[in-house]
Structures are given as structure tokens and as C-alpha cells.
Amino acid sequence: MRLLILLTIALTSLGQAEKPNILFIFADDMTHATIGALGHPEVKTPHLDKLFQSGTTFTHVYNSGAWNGAVCQASRNMLMTGRHLWHAHREESQTKKSKLWPHLMAEAGYRTYMTGKWHVQANVRKAFHHIGHIRPGMPSDIPAGYNRPIEGQEDSWDPTNLENEGFWKGGTHWSEVEADTAVQFLKNAKEDPKPFFFYLAFNAPHDPRQSPQEYLDLYPPEKLSLPKNFLPSYPHRDSMRSDHKVRDEYLAPMPRTPYSVKVNRREYFALITHLDAQIGRVLNALDQNGQRENTLIIFTSDHGLSVGRHGLIGKQNPYDHSIRVPFVVSGPGIKAGKKITKPIYLQDIMPSTLEWAHAKIPARVQYQSILPLLKNQTEGRDQIYFGYRDSQRALIKDGYKLIIYPRTKVARLYNMKEDPLERNDLLEKEHPQIALAQSLYAHLQIEALKHGDQLAYPKIW
């Protein structure tokens, strides 16, 4: 009998050892074009650069939209439930009763940890075994942080002022608190025979864009470039319902000016570099604990951010700067330096971790594992859908992006290969590509059904 018990324990331990630890690092509001190693040297991200160089990068990773201005809320709901956009929206009130991502990982034999931003209706304390510092959707609103800066006027906002609270509430920057907690959790996990699943969700670089002075000093506004797709005002902002009334858009004055955009970019980049330093501390702890060798590390963000591109500041739009995010997987069995250009949704990581955990992916999970792409076993998706409230829809397919504003029947079309910054609307040309737009529009309506979209699509052409 004793021999049987010992054999059972040994087999259980062996089974656990075969499963990698999983560290999921989640940023907030971080656009894809903010990683130095991916060709964006204006932003200093030395620790993330090393992580991206050590693993496989997915270059075209998207969030599929939101049902309200808090895009992060929808993104996280989809991530936790595995449900596509509008299905997740209709089921949001049931999230408290749902079996979420960490529940599934626990069933697969993982010890689950969480610290940072939650922003899902379910009770986080019932979702994870170990909870650190729970943060709300965003740090507290600070009136002085809005509609600024205005050239020629004194700027009352100081990103380093602890009295403004925000990220400084409690006396220590939230990113530093979460990194402190992560380092301690990793130390605790080292003593646990079970593999760990760690959901580390930073609020940065969401506004208010606050960081220590040493990080701001890295980005003098006068030395920063203006985005090549900068506009003083987006021509269809009323159609898309992302006008100045949306909270994010009110952070900078209208019309946008080079000065205000450069100052906002300075504070955004500084907060990213400060976040990078905290992530570096977490990765260093993995190394010191001897956990790196058996840990899969995933880094991504819930969505991107405009910060002056197309005359926009926020993320409530279908342009790549707002829906496309950085995404890397690093660890055992993952090729270093590899790039995969096939498009995925960031929420595809949810079923991927279940596959790594040798767990069955529930039928209700609608996202796809990325493991076949990592192993070159599939061609992956050929199109990406986006929806925002009842005012925006988009489809990316065959190198083109079609944007529709259904309430006003406005359409825009971009060649993403030749025009990745989305500056040349092919429907505003002397010979507009109507036939192509019509074809993409038909595909959009078909794809919308998969996402539970019940919008009555208008006849445009």
C-alpha cells in the first residue's frame, strides 16, 4: 500500500513537472509601436527588448473592440471568458457564475496568482488562489490632467506630484507595488510543488500618465517626433462617436496641436519605460529563483492607444494604433527571434495556456490556440473583425482594412501593406475602389455573425 501511495505521488509530481509555469504580463493602453526591439527606438524598453529577442513575436495581434468607452473592460472580459465580443457583452451579467480562465488553470493542476488591474464583474478573490493588490479600471480621475497642455499657458499638471495621487496613491507608484508583489509571489511559488499560473496586470501606461522625473527626463518634448499620421482633428469623429465627449479624447485640447501631442507622448513614453523597468525586476526574480527555464512568459496589452495619431487620443477607434498590441511568447520550446505575421486576437492566449497545461479547452471557448501557429501546423486566420458600440465596424482581410460607420453610412478603405499608417483612404481617391469595398463589406457581415453581432448593417453602396 505504501509503495502504491509513493508511486502515485511520484507520477503526480512527474505530471506537474511536465507542465510549464505560466507568467502572463498584461499592460494597459500599450500600442504595438512602443517596443524598441520591434523597430521603434524612440521608446526605451531595454527589458522588454530582451524578452522579445528571446522569444517568438506575433506582429499582428488585435483586440476586437468594445461595447462601451472602457475598451479594457470588454477586452478583459473576453480574455477571462474566452467569448467573442458581443457574446461576451450579452453574457457579462453572468460572469460572476462563469468558469473563468484561472478556474480552468486551477482544474489543470496550477496554483494561481493575481495582482493588479481586474475590471471584470466576477469576484477576483474567488477566481485565484492568491491575490495581491487589486486595482480598479484606472487610477482616480484628476481634473488637472485633462484638456492639456495648451501652448502659451502654464501647465498645472505635474506627473511627479504625489499629491495628485492617481498612480501615486498610497505613496508608491502602482507599477512598483505590483512588481514588488510579483517578486514575492514568485518566491512563494518556488516552494510550491504545483506549477504556477500568474496573471500580472499592470495599470500602466494608462492615464494619468505619471512617472518619476528620471523617466520624464529621457524624453524632452522638443526632441520627440510628431506621428506621421498626426491630424489636428479626425474628420469623422462625430460618426464614430469618439468625439471630445469621450473621456480619453478630452485629455488633450481640440484641435490637437504638435505641442500638446508631443507632451502627451513624452508622458506616455516615460510611463512605458518606467513599466519596462518594473517588468525587468520581475524577470530578474525569475532568473534568481531558477524558475526561468520552466516558465512560459507572455507579454501583451489589452489594446493600444492613439496619443495624437489621426487627431485622436484614446482607443475607441479601429486604427491599428488603437486595436493592435505588442505580443511575445518566450520560454521552453519557443523559438527565439522568430516572428509570426499571421493575425491573431490577443484573447487567443487563453486557450493556448490551456493547451500548454494539457487541459481540455471547453466548447464554449471561441478563441483559438496559437500553438499550431508556433509549430507551423496551420495557416491561421485570414481576417480580423472589429466592432465598437453601434457606431464602428471594421474588417482586415487580404492586406486591406475596411472601416464602416453604420450610423452615418461612411466608409473608409486602406491598403495596409502599402499604407500601414492608414493615411490614404482609397474611397477618397479620384477612382475609388468601390468593388473592393463592397466585397470586404460582405465578408465583414459574415464575420460579424461569428462574434454575435446583431447590428442591422445598412446598405452603403
Side-chain angles (χ1 to χ4, degrees), residues 320-342:
D320 265 24
H321 47 68
S322 295
I323 65 172
R324 189 173 153 202
V325 296
F327 190 105
V328 66
V329 181
S330 177
I334 305 298
K335 289 185 179 180
K338 181 178 179 180
K339 291 185 178 180
I340 296 175
T341 60
K342 284 289 183 180

Side-chain angles (χ1 to χ4, degrees), residues 404-406 409-411 441 458-461:
I404 299 292
Y405 303 132
K409 300 183 180 180
V410 170
Y441 194 39
K459 181 176 176 57
I460 297 179
W461 294 279

